[in-house]
Amino acid sequence: MLIAQISDLHIRPRGALAYGVSATNLFAEHAIHALLRLAPRPDCVLVSGDLTDCGLDEEYALLQELFARLPMPVFAVPGNHDRREPFRRTFAGGGYLPAAGYLNFTVDRGPVRIVGLDSLVAGESHGALAPETLDFLDSALAARPEAPTLVMLHHPPFATGIGHMDALRLFDGAAELGTLVARHPQIARILCGHVHRSIQTVFGGRTCQIAPSVAHQVALDLRPDAPSCFVLEPPGFLLHAVTDGAVVTHAATVDRAPGPFPFILPADYPGQARRAEPDAGAIRP
């Protein structure tokens, strides 16, 4: 099974730039094309929050147009830039979100269980997990202890070293999440967004990964007093391959690169003859 994870699209009203600089809608278009180019194509797409920039109805309408181009199901959790009720209305047709309350969900795709958690604190940039959300996760994990499980939320529960983003991470419920995760060995990954960089650590004994943004990236600056800045580094996403319950994650870039080129040397390549007929005692890699 192949699962793509994209994050932090920050869709804006048509023609508007995020922060006056980032063409997030165009970046999102490129991300959709990148997913459609994959062979084999993913079985589903996970979106780890900040789908829109301001939670506006117009932004969600544009988002629906984008996702309508994907032939596979899309499962998303809200980020701090999203708003619950417009988000709920946008994805109501998917049938996986609750009709009221927190936007927590569970879906089973083949052998894999996906649990989405709502870490949104309305009007704030940091995240939190309410007690009912933690109870939801515990029940979802207890229901299928044999199923390899991906847990997805927007805000990472750990400090990355990028100070201005760490001040906006998951706070309330983070310690409880770590304790809960440690009790359920079937959790293969904890998937997050928010930081706009590809980062990973071990949390509660499990691999916890932050996906890069498919738009702009947060500047990699680990100084304690680093300013809050972003850069137009290449957009990216994650691809999680699940085989016999084991998950292998690949980091991919959205935009095409030159190639592919075969690892076959032409006959006139310098040193070709020497490599074709190595000394008997030659050391090979």
Side-chain angles (χ1 to χ4, degrees):
M1 187 171 187
L2 203 57
I3 300 172
Q5 180 191 356
I6 62 175
S7 197
D8 296 274
L9 287 71
H10 288 269
I11 295 294
R12 296 282 287 130
R14 200 179 302 276
L17 301 176
Y19 309 105
V21 175
S22 182
T24 53
N25 293 16
L26 181 61
F27 285 134
E29 291 259 2
H30 289 183
I32 296 300
H33 290 304
L35 295 177
L36 293 174
R37 286 197 306 268
L38 291 172
R41 284 183 175 173
D43 295 284
C44 65
V45 175
L46 305 183
V47 193
S48 46
D50 279 357
L51 286 74
T52 65
D53 201 44
C54 300
L56 303 175
D57 289 339
E58 179 183 354
E59 294 172 341
Y60 284 111
L62 293 172
L63 186 72
Q64 282 182 306
E65 291 179 14
L66 281 173
F67 287 165
R69 303 179 194 176
L70 294 173
M72 70 286 288
V74 176
F75 306 108
V77 293
N80 51 287
H81 283 256
D82 292 304
R83 289 193 300 138
R84 277 196 185 90
E85 294 317 310
F87 188 102
R88 195 191 312 275
R89 291 194 299 270
T90 298
F91 292 98
Y96 65 93
L97 289 178
Y102 291 104
L103 297 167
N104 303 315
F105 67 85
T106 301
V107 292
D108 294 304
R109 303 296 299 177
V112 178
R113 169 154 279 205
I114 299 163
V115 183
L117 302 180
D118 181 346
S119 60
L120 170 62
V121 179
E124 302 290 345
S125 295
H126 69 273
L129 296 178
E132 48 263 62
T133 294
L134 292 165
D135 289 342
F136 174 89
L137 174 60
D138 201 18
S139 296
L141 294 169
R144 284 195 68 192
E146 81 293 347
T149 301
L150 306 178
V151 176
M152 179 172 63
L153 68 160
H154 180 64
H155 297 84
F158 65 93
T160 66
I162 302 176
H164 63 94
M165 294 304 298
D166 290 342
L168 308 176
R169 69 182 188 271
L170 184 75
F171 285 109
D172 291 347
E176 293 86 347
L177 176 64
T179 300
L180 195 159
V181 164
R183 294 205 308 265
H184 294 277
Q186 78 268 30
I187 296 175
R189 290 287 187 279
I190 305 164
L191 307 177
C192 308
H194 192 51
V195 186
H196 290 234
R197 296 206 69 84
S198 182
I199 304 169
Q200 68 178 27
T201 191
V202 175
F203 177 80
R206 309 288 178 264
T207 300
C208 185
Q209 290 189 276
I210 302 173
S213 172
V214 296
H216 48 275
Q217 310 304 314
V218 165
L220 179 56
D221 190 336
L222 302 179
R223 294 175 296 173
D225 58 348
S228 177
C229 296
F230 68 91
V231 292
L232 297 179
E233 290 179 359
F237 63 98
L238 299 180
L239 201 58
H240 309 287
V242 186
T243 306
D244 296 329
V247 179
V248 174
T249 299
H250 300 263
T253 54
V254 165
D255 294 327
R256 291 178 183 267
F261 305 105
F263 286 105
I264 299 175
L265 300 178
D268 60 350
Y269 193 87
Q272 172 71 9
R274 178 180 58 80
R275 275 188 287 271
E277 298 177 1
D279 295 338
I283 299 175
R284 304 179 184 179

